[in-house]
Amino acid sequence: MAEPEGRRIPVVALTEACVHLLQQAGVPAGQAALIADVCVQADLRGVESHGVLRLPAYIHQVTHGLLAADTRVDVVRDHRATALLDGNGGFGQVAAAEGMRHAIHKAREHGLGAVGVRNASHFGMAAYYAMMALPHDAIGIVISNAAPSMAPWGGIDAILGSNPLCVAIPTGTDMPIVLDMATSVVARGKIRLAAEKGEKIPATWALDDAGRPTEDAAAALKGTLLPVGGPKGYGLSLVNDVLAGVLTGAPFGPSIPSVHDLTRPSAVGFYLQAIDIQAYLPLDSFFARIQQLIAEIRGSRRAEGVSRIYLPGEPELERARDRLANGIPVPPPVLQSLRDLAARLGITLPL
Amino acid sequence: MAEPEGRRIPVVALTEACVHLLQQAGVPAGQAALIADVCVQADLRGVESHGVLRLPAYIHQVTHGLLAADTRVDVVRDHRATALLDGNGGFGQVAAAEGMRHAIHKAREHGLGAVGVRNASHFGMAAYYAMMALPHDAIGIVISNAAPSMAPWGGIDAILGSNPLCVAIPTGTDMPIVLDMATSVVARGKIRLAAEKGEKIPATWALDDAGRPTEDAAAALKGTLLPVGGPKGYGLSLVNDVLAGVLTGAPFGPSIPSVHDLTRPSAVGFYLQAIDIQAYLPLDSFFARIQQLIAEIRGSRRAEGVSRIYLPGEPELERARDRLANGIPVPPPVLQSLRDLAARLGITLPL
């Protein structure tokens, strides 16, 4: 597995550094621990775009009054298997975790639970919240909307976000199935990276500002991301915006501010479900069946040049195991940005 | 809109013909009316692959004892917001409609309902059942598993079906949003059609038996369908198989018989959800918000050569309106197969 360059920092040290930074910015200890954990878990799983590199922007928003340091989560509606929460403009991580806790609790009582969250901000890695359902023998489903980056199919203007879907499924083994996907072909970050390096991108990734497929990364950044599978990804993104945005009372479509806009409060919505497996089948039966399916998938003949068939979430799990043992390779610019942030906040990091 | 060739038959006449055929094969009147309606609605919406052309195969299976003429649906488990039904080897249409009725009823009481169905057969067009939620101001979600046609990503063997997902969302107008998609790039039927015509297919549709992308439709039929968006479609198909198959006690993965295999009983599972909008937002607020999103999508600038931006389900709705007014164009071979079937059953059709 090719690892990005960077000093390997032990998980505990990196987590503590994040907690210190967040607390210094006014985030209460318990919330700081959760937010730090979401960031570090993303880095552990190799989802660096949602890892500790986001922390300076979060704290910038806190110190500029655009993100509440202390996230209050209110229950707006509560009706048997459903609830609607309000994140009061605080950390999306705190609101999403609280939402999933409610969903899991409801799933235990009613067989399933589905919780909407509004007035939230970017929650980082969706898999974190979906995987909260796993120890409860439940399937976790997490949907978020996001700032507009994709055009409707046939269109040119960015109307919909790459609104992600994540599903986590327990398997009775130490390897859950975790599908965590954006509804665009690739994340915007990948195109930004290519633009910085002056590299071409495949014409299937994005349209330029005139709606033409482009291999020019800089032109793509002025245009729109292409949805995965054309009209199918457009439809999935729209459905996710309806569930996470329209249905929850959160902003939706083009009214969602960019997470990279550090002058306005971020505002997105989430839709979180937990499904209690035992409402349908005895656990041992479900686990035996899913392990059989996994074995059949692994047993498929492989295409030329393919050394191994992975289950969704398996590469991330293996990366997490390696990094848990050997530390997280934090790129020097990211490490420097954390040190700069610490200096601004008047502390030094034990990194 | 280009229409396939074929005599235009009024909806009522075509429906009555199907009801007669089904009743003559021993299907009770009420069930025959439902199954006929599902077939004709598929033809109305332009989903001909799931329309009346399927009827001869269904009735073949009934007369050969592979499909129960009288579908009994049992409730295996019932727990507040969830239920598990058994279709007892009967018509998938009857079991899916019964499952969605349960889900809608549960959504009214608990905010949402999710029903699994096992021991079912092919249910035709998924949108039929998802759209049952619309008059109840609920969002309908329908998932089915299907006979294996796709390899896991990196693999060669058909392990997973093109397991479809359908989501129907009410909008407070006469145009609901209806996303009805397979998790493969295209349906196998499209490749079969190209093979019959001796036409090439795009290399993005399928792999040959050795796992290489192919433009040869005949070779593709011996190979596997490609999942939409590569690993993302593989993941979606797997999640759908877990919900519709593994979780319900239905067959899953490679153990699902092909619908084109007329020597074995078909056996698939469904997972059906209904989400009560008013558990989250007042109806008028939801409708105002979704209509705003639709207007924003329609208002996008269009790519060159694009005359109009469609919402998911909108082309199907327009086709249905035309065909409701002007009749359904049934291709001569399909019409002939219905007449042949009638002759075998000893009746004549008023077509």
Side-chain angles (χ1 to χ4, degrees):
Chain A
M1 204 172 304
E3 279 291 359
E5 271 178 70
R7 223 183 88 201
R8 289 236 179 194
I9 298 180
V11 170
V12 173
L14 190 59
T15 307
E16 274 181 13
C18 293
V19 172
H20 282 315
L21 290 168
L22 286 158
Q23 284 196 271
Q24 194 67 15
V27 178
Q31 296 180 24
L34 169 72
I35 298 160
D37 195 34
V38 176
C39 289
V40 172
Q41 289 292 332
D43 280 320
L44 268 175
R45 293 173 66 82
V47 190
E48 287 88 1
S49 56
H50 291 56
V52 298
L53 74 75
R54 295 267 183 168
L55 212 59
Y58 292 147
I59 291 181
H60 173 96
Q61 294 205 302
V62 169
T63 53
H64 287 74
L66 302 169
L67 182 59
D70 183 359
T71 303
R72 211 183 65 237
V73 183
D74 295 324
V75 177
V76 181
R77 294 169 88 102
D78 195 338
H79 174 63
R80 297 192 181 177
T82 63
L84 179 61
L85 307 186
D86 190 311
N88 290 299
F91 277 88
Q93 290 89 340
V94 177
E98 184 66 13
M100 186 48 93
R101 273 192 289 271
H102 276 260
I104 292 165
H105 178 76
K106 286 172 176 296
R108 264 205 212 128
E109 271 193 37
H110 301 279
L112 83 162
V115 174
V117 179
R118 66 188 183 198
N119 269 327
S121 63
H122 187 254
F123 64 19
M125 178 180 67
Y128 189 92
Y129 316 101
M131 291 175 74
M132 285 175 63
L134 299 174
H136 303 279
D137 299 321
I139 295 170
I141 302 177
V142 171
I143 292 170
S144 175
N145 64 5
S149 58
M150 298 202 301
W153 192 241
I156 294 185
D157 294 321
I159 306 285
L160 295 165
S162 57
N163 309 333
L165 164 72
C166 179
V167 183
I169 302 169
T171 61
T173 73
D174 56 2
M175 191 216 61
I177 292 172
V178 181
L179 173 69
D180 192 352
M181 58 172 270
T183 49
S184 52
V185 175
V186 293
R188 206 174 177 78
K190 251 187 160 165
I191 298 178
R192 200 174 297 117
L193 208 66
E196 281 165 14
K197 292 183 182 172
E199 290 174 359
K200 273 193 177 182
I201 56 170
T204 52
W205 285 11
L207 303 175
D208 66 16
D209 186 41
R212 292 169 303 215
T214 182
E215 297 186 341
D216 178 343
L221 286 177
K222 288 180 203 142
T224 55
L225 297 179
L226 275 164
V228 63
K232 295 187 182 187
Y234 155 52
L236 285 173
S237 169
L238 174 57
V239 164
N240 288 355
D241 202 8
V242 171
L243 291 172
V246 176
L247 185 63
T248 64
F252 54 86
S255 66
I256 303 174
S258 164
V259 282
H260 300 290
D261 179 352
L262 299 182
T263 67
R264 285 194 295 167
S266 169
V268 292
F270 314 136
Y271 187 74
L272 312 149
Q273 271 200 4
I275 301 169
D276 180 20
I277 287 165
Q278 294 176 87
Y280 297 91
L281 279 193
L283 262 191
D284 54 355
S285 165
F286 177 83
F287 287 150
R289 291 162 62 81
I290 200 159
Q291 286 168 29
Q292 184 190 330
L293 182 55
I294 289 171
E296 280 163 337
I297 287 171
R298 289 207 168 115
S300 165
R301 288 178 302 151
R302 296 188 299 274
E304 220 180 286
V306 172
S307 60
R308 189 172 150 195
I309 292 172
Y310 287 95
L311 273 294
E314 198 174 14
E316 291 81 359
L317 179 66
E318 297 200 348
R319 209 173 287 120
R321 282 181 184 147
D322 165 61
R323 293 180 177 188
L324 201 55
N326 303 312
I328 294 175
V330 181
V334 174
L335 201 56
Q336 191 54 49
S337 75
L338 295 182
R339 289 206 181 98
D340 293 346
L341 177 60
R344 279 199 301 281
L345 294 171
I347 57 173
T348 50
L349 292 183
L351 286 177
Chain B
M1 205 172 302
E3 280 290 359
E5 272 176 71
R7 222 182 88 200
R8 288 234 178 196
I9 298 181
V11 170
V12 173
L14 189 60
T15 307
E16 273 180 12
C18 294
V19 172
H20 281 316
L21 289 166
L22 286 158
Q23 283 197 272
Q24 193 67 14
V27 178
Q31 297 180 23
L34 170 71
I35 297 160
D37 195 35
V38 176
C39 290
V40 172
Q41 289 291 333
D43 280 320
L44 267 175
R45 293 174 65 82
V47 190
E48 287 88 1
S49 56
H50 292 56
V52 298
L53 74 73
R54 295 266 184 170
L55 212 58
Y58 292 148
I59 290 180
H60 173 97
Q61 294 205 301
V62 169
T63 53
H64 288 73
L66 302 169
L67 182 60
D70 184 359
T71 303
R72 210 182 67 237
V73 182
D74 294 325
V75 178
V76 180
R77 293 169 88 102
D78 195 339
H79 175 61
R80 299 193 180 177
T82 63
L84 179 61
L85 307 186
D86 190 311
N88 290 299
F91 277 87
Q93 290 88 341
V94 177
E98 184 67 13
M100 186 47 92
R101 272 191 291 272
H102 277 260
I104 292 166
H105 177 76
K106 285 172 177 298
R108 262 205 215 130
E109 272 193 35
H110 302 279
L112 83 162
V115 174
V117 179
R118 67 189 183 197
N119 270 327
S121 63
H122 187 253
F123 64 19
M125 177 179 68
Y128 189 92
Y129 315 100
M131 291 174 73
M132 284 174 63
L134 298 174
H136 303 280
D137 299 321
I139 295 170
I141 301 177
V142 171
I143 292 169
S144 174
N145 65 5
S149 58
M150 296 202 302
W153 192 241
I156 295 185
D157 294 322
I159 305 285
L160 295 165
S162 56
N163 309 331
L165 164 72
C166 180
V167 183
I169 302 169
T171 62
T173 72
D174 56 0
M175 191 216 63
I177 291 172
V178 182
L179 174 69
D180 192 354
M181 56 171 270
T183 49
S184 52
V185 175
V186 294
R188 207 174 177 78
K190 251 188 160 163
I191 298 178
R192 202 174 296 115
L193 208 67
E196 281 165 14
K197 292 185 183 172
E199 290 174 357
K200 274 192 176 182
I201 57 169
T204 51
W205 286 12
L207 303 174
D208 67 16
D209 186 41
R212 292 169 303 217
T214 183
E215 297 186 341
D216 178 343
L221 287 177
K222 289 181 204 142
T224 55
L225 298 179
L226 274 165
V228 63
K232 295 187 181 187
Y234 155 50
L236 285 174
S237 170
L238 173 57
V239 164
N240 289 354
D241 202 8
V242 170
L243 291 173
V246 176
L247 185 63
T248 63
F252 54 86
S255 65
I256 303 174
S258 164
V259 280
H260 300 289
D261 178 352
L262 299 182
T263 67
R264 287 194 293 167
S266 169
V268 291
F270 315 135
Y271 186 73
L272 312 150
Q273 270 200 6
I275 301 169
D276 180 19
I277 287 165
Q278 295 176 87
Y280 297 91
L281 279 192
L283 262 192
D284 55 355
S285 166
F286 178 83
F287 287 150
R289 290 162 63 82
I290 200 160
Q291 285 168 28
Q292 184 191 332
L293 182 55
I294 290 171
E296 279 163 338
I297 287 172
R298 290 206 168 118
S300 165
R301 286 178 302 149
R302 297 187 300 275
E304 218 179 287
V306 172
S307 61
R308 191 172 148 194
I309 292 172
Y310 287 95
L311 274 294
E314 197 174 16
E316 291 81 359
L317 179 66
E318 297 199 348
R319 208 174 285 119
R321 283 182 182 146
D322 165 63
R323 292 179 177 189
L324 200 56
N326 304 312
I328 294 174
V330 182
V334 174
L335 201 56
Q336 191 54 48
S337 75
L338 295 181
R339 290 207 180 98
D340 293 348
L341 177 61
R344 280 199 302 280
L345 294 171
I347 57 172
T348 50
L349 291 183
L351 285 180

